[in-house]
Amino acid sequence: MATPIWNEKQGEWQLRIYQDGKCKKFTSNKPGIAGKKVVLKRAREYNEKGTVSSPTVQKEWDKYLEDVKARSSNANYISIEKCGRLYILPQCSSRKLERLSLVDFQNIINTSKNAKGEPLSKKTYSNIRGTIINFLKFAYRDRVIDYLPDGLYVPKNANVVGKEILQPEQIKKLFSSDLNSNWYIEYFRLLLLSGARPGEILGLQWSDIQWDICTINRSINSSREITPGKNKNARRKFFLPPTAQAVLQRQKEKTKDLDSKWVFPSRCGAMSTQSMVYKQWIPLKEALETTACIYSFRHTFVSIMKSSTVSENLLKGIIGHSSSFDTFGIYGNHEVNGDKEIITEAIEQKITNII
């Protein structure tokens, strides 16, 4: 095959192929070796198929979503589809993917806004960036583009939106007997006492509770799927302070007639869903006089424990953020000397001082 030639006047790589007496011209305005590779790729495809494959972003995105659906959870698929529909595709769906550069995709990140035309949170910008990177990696494997994404970043001035946390008076009220009629009240109390993710506590089974140790083995997502958890650190063990043990004891008594394997089952003993819990959160939120979301229990726990004697590494371990502390003071089945006392005493002291 002939070699592409850079035409300085027109600012593009050019390659002409003669086939059956006809001339086919291939060009690329990408400078350097990248543009040369694009021209060669198009020419090879033309020789092999008689056509040049140059899909639009929308066409390649549809293929990418099919791949995500085949290998990922439904919740992850929904999240990625939404990110593309709201932020990525409106800016580039009809454009040829191979003609877009990383600068174009960075501009998509930088200029994305919410429905009110306001800047997004740092977390949302990060999600857009991650989605674009994974999409481009798929396109690279599909041989639509000839580069791997590198250098995309989150705007440095992106807003960090903090979660509202429960205040001491609200925490005190959460543990009052006035709220015991709420079917999931012990669920919410354990959320606060453990710092675990909502889906992790919802996925607890009685076999996961051994004396004063709780093991996170699974999570229930918003699509009612049972998953291993959010990341590799999600499966972990943590100690239960006396107040948490009392919560579980009350829950066991409350659900004993259901004979359910789930710690926090539905009223008929089946697996609960996040939508069921949310319906019970609405009246509880009004009773507590807060606008916080369910995930705020996790942020409240971290805020309370930051001023305790628990080290940052141990705190990360209990909430499942650290790669080096999977089990918060327990490695395998062996207790790390002193960790149990530090953890349980710190949690118990902080919470009991409030309630």
PDB file of all heavy atoms in Angstrom, residues 170-182:
ATOM      1  N   GLN A 170     -31.446  15.673  66.106  1.00  0.00           N
ATOM      2  CA  GLN A 170     -32.120  14.744  65.191  1.00  0.00           C
ATOM      3  C   GLN A 170     -31.686  13.299  65.465  1.00  0.00           C
ATOM      4  O   GLN A 170     -32.496  12.374  65.383  1.00  0.00           O
ATOM      5  CB  GLN A 170     -31.814  15.136  63.743  1.00  0.00           C
ATOM      6  CG  GLN A 170     -32.424  16.484  63.357  1.00  0.00           C
ATOM      7  CD  GLN A 170     -31.848  17.044  62.082  1.00  0.00           C
ATOM      8  OE1 GLN A 170     -30.703  16.777  61.722  1.00  0.00           O
ATOM      9  NE2 GLN A 170     -32.635  17.843  61.371  1.00  0.00           N
ATOM     10  N   ILE A 171     -30.412  13.129  65.790  1.00  0.00           N
ATOM     11  CA  ILE A 171     -29.910  11.793  66.124  1.00  0.00           C
ATOM     12  C   ILE A 171     -30.576  11.301  67.412  1.00  0.00           C
ATOM     13  O   ILE A 171     -30.984  10.139  67.515  1.00  0.00           O
ATOM     14  CB  ILE A 171     -28.379  11.820  66.287  1.00  0.00           C
ATOM     15  CG1 ILE A 171     -27.715  12.157  64.947  1.00  0.00           C
ATOM     16  CG2 ILE A 171     -27.859  10.489  66.824  1.00  0.00           C
ATOM     17  CD1 ILE A 171     -26.218  12.365  65.022  1.00  0.00           C
ATOM     18  N   LYS A 172     -30.684  12.190  68.371  1.00  0.00           N
ATOM     19  CA  LYS A 172     -31.332  11.839  69.640  1.00  0.00           C
ATOM     20  C   LYS A 172     -32.771  11.406  69.411  1.00  0.00           C
ATOM     21  O   LYS A 172     -33.256  10.425  69.980  1.00  0.00           O
ATOM     22  CB  LYS A 172     -31.276  13.041  70.584  1.00  0.00           C
ATOM     23  CG  LYS A 172     -31.808  12.754  71.979  1.00  0.00           C
ATOM     24  CD  LYS A 172     -31.621  13.981  72.867  1.00  0.00           C
ATOM     25  CE  LYS A 172     -32.154  13.707  74.275  1.00  0.00           C
ATOM     26  NZ  LYS A 172     -31.957  14.892  75.161  1.00  0.00           N
ATOM     27  N   LYS A 173     -33.470  12.125  68.537  1.00  0.00           N
ATOM     28  CA  LYS A 173     -34.857  11.803  68.234  1.00  0.00           C
ATOM     29  C   LYS A 173     -34.964  10.479  67.476  1.00  0.00           C
ATOM     30  O   LYS A 173     -35.932   9.734  67.645  1.00  0.00           O
ATOM     31  CB  LYS A 173     -35.490  12.926  67.422  1.00  0.00           C
ATOM     32  CG  LYS A 173     -37.001  12.823  67.309  1.00  0.00           C
ATOM     33  CD  LYS A 173     -37.585  14.084  66.711  1.00  0.00           C
ATOM     34  CE  LYS A 173     -39.115  14.003  66.716  1.00  0.00           C
ATOM     35  NZ  LYS A 173     -39.721  15.230  66.154  1.00  0.00           N
ATOM     36  N   LEU A 174     -33.962  10.180  66.636  1.00  0.00           N
ATOM     37  CA  LEU A 174     -33.956   8.938  65.864  1.00  0.00           C
ATOM     38  C   LEU A 174     -34.026   7.715  66.774  1.00  0.00           C
ATOM     39  O   LEU A 174     -34.624   6.697  66.428  1.00  0.00           O
ATOM     40  CB  LEU A 174     -32.692   8.872  64.994  1.00  0.00           C
ATOM     41  CG  LEU A 174     -32.495   7.616  64.144  1.00  0.00           C
ATOM     42  CD1 LEU A 174     -33.528   7.549  63.019  1.00  0.00           C
ATOM     43  CD2 LEU A 174     -31.082   7.569  63.568  1.00  0.00           C
ATOM     44  N   PHE A 175     -33.414   7.818  67.951  1.00  0.00           N
ATOM     45  CA  PHE A 175     -33.369   6.689  68.883  1.00  0.00           C
ATOM     46  C   PHE A 175     -34.486   6.740  69.941  1.00  0.00           C
ATOM     47  O   PHE A 175     -34.491   5.930  70.859  1.00  0.00           O
ATOM     48  CB  PHE A 175     -32.005   6.634  69.567  1.00  0.00           C
ATOM     49  CG  PHE A 175     -30.919   6.094  68.681  1.00  0.00           C
ATOM     50  CD1 PHE A 175     -30.222   6.931  67.822  1.00  0.00           C
ATOM     51  CD2 PHE A 175     -30.603   4.739  68.678  1.00  0.00           C
ATOM     52  CE1 PHE A 175     -29.222   6.441  66.988  1.00  0.00           C
ATOM     53  CE2 PHE A 175     -29.615   4.235  67.849  1.00  0.00           C
ATOM     54  CZ  PHE A 175     -28.919   5.083  66.996  1.00  0.00           C
ATOM     55  N   SER A 176     -35.408   7.670  69.792  1.00  0.00           N
ATOM     56  CA  SER A 176     -36.509   7.742  70.753  1.00  0.00           C
ATOM     57  C   SER A 176     -37.563   6.687  70.411  1.00  0.00           C
ATOM     58  O   SER A 176     -37.757   6.322  69.257  1.00  0.00           O
ATOM     59  CB  SER A 176     -37.133   9.142  70.740  1.00  0.00           C
ATOM     60  OG  SER A 176     -37.849   9.347  69.534  1.00  0.00           O
ATOM     61  N   SER A 177     -38.255   6.225  71.417  1.00  0.00           N
ATOM     62  CA  SER A 177     -39.269   5.184  71.227  1.00  0.00           C
ATOM     63  C   SER A 177     -40.478   5.691  70.442  1.00  0.00           C
ATOM     64  O   SER A 177     -41.278   4.897  69.955  1.00  0.00           O
ATOM     65  CB  SER A 177     -39.728   4.647  72.585  1.00  0.00           C
ATOM     66  OG  SER A 177     -40.250   5.718  73.377  1.00  0.00           O
ATOM     67  N   ASP A 178     -40.600   6.998  70.294  1.00  0.00           N
ATOM     68  CA  ASP A 178     -41.733   7.570  69.558  1.00  0.00           C
ATOM     69  C   ASP A 178     -41.747   7.133  68.099  1.00  0.00           C
ATOM     70  O   ASP A 178     -42.794   7.157  67.449  1.00  0.00           O
ATOM     71  CB  ASP A 178     -41.686   9.109  69.609  1.00  0.00           C
ATOM     72  CG  ASP A 178     -41.823   9.643  71.021  1.00  0.00           C
ATOM     73  OD1 ASP A 178     -42.313   8.878  71.891  1.00  0.00           O
ATOM     74  OD2 ASP A 178     -41.440  10.797  71.256  1.00  0.00           O
ATOM     75  N   LEU A 179     -40.589   6.738  67.574  1.00  0.00           N
ATOM     76  CA  LEU A 179     -40.484   6.388  66.152  1.00  0.00           C
ATOM     77  C   LEU A 179     -40.460   4.880  65.908  1.00  0.00           C
ATOM     78  O   LEU A 179     -40.253   4.435  64.791  1.00  0.00           O
ATOM     79  CB  LEU A 179     -39.209   7.019  65.559  1.00  0.00           C
ATOM     80  CG  LEU A 179     -39.122   8.545  65.643  1.00  0.00           C
ATOM     81  CD1 LEU A 179     -37.782   9.031  65.077  1.00  0.00           C
ATOM     82  CD2 LEU A 179     -40.275   9.192  64.894  1.00  0.00           C
ATOM     83  N   ASN A 180     -40.678   4.101  66.941  1.00  0.00           N
ATOM     84  CA  ASN A 180     -40.574   2.641  66.815  1.00  0.00           C
ATOM     85  C   ASN A 180     -41.624   2.027  65.899  1.00  0.00           C
ATOM     86  O   ASN A 180     -41.480   0.884  65.457  1.00  0.00           O
ATOM     87  CB  ASN A 180     -40.653   1.982  68.195  1.00  0.00           C
ATOM     88  CG  ASN A 180     -39.359   2.135  68.975  1.00  0.00           C
ATOM     89  OD1 ASN A 180     -38.339   2.563  68.420  1.00  0.00           O
ATOM     90  ND2 ASN A 180     -39.390   1.804  70.255  1.00  0.00           N
ATOM     91  N   SER A 181     -42.690   2.768  65.592  1.00  0.00           N
ATOM     92  CA  SER A 181     -43.732   2.221  64.725  1.00  0.00           C
ATOM     93  C   SER A 181     -43.285   2.155  63.262  1.00  0.00           C
ATOM     94  O   SER A 181     -43.881   1.440  62.463  1.00  0.00           O
ATOM     95  CB  SER A 181     -45.001   3.072  64.833  1.00  0.00           C
ATOM     96  OG  SER A 181     -44.736   4.411  64.443  1.00  0.00           O
ATOM     97  N   ASN A 182     -42.225   2.893  62.910  1.00  0.00           N
ATOM     98  CA  ASN A 182     -41.701   2.854  61.541  1.00  0.00           C
ATOM     99  C   ASN A 182     -41.095   1.473  61.289  1.00  0.00           C
ATOM    100  O   ASN A 182     -40.252   1.012  62.051  1.00  0.00           O
ATOM    101  CB  ASN A 182     -40.642   3.949  61.355  1.00  0.00           C
ATOM    102  CG  ASN A 182     -40.189   4.082  59.912  1.00  0.00           C
ATOM    103  OD1 ASN A 182     -39.636   3.151  59.328  1.00  0.00           O
ATOM    104  ND2 ASN A 182     -40.406   5.249  59.343  1.00  0.00           N
TER     105      ASN A 182
END
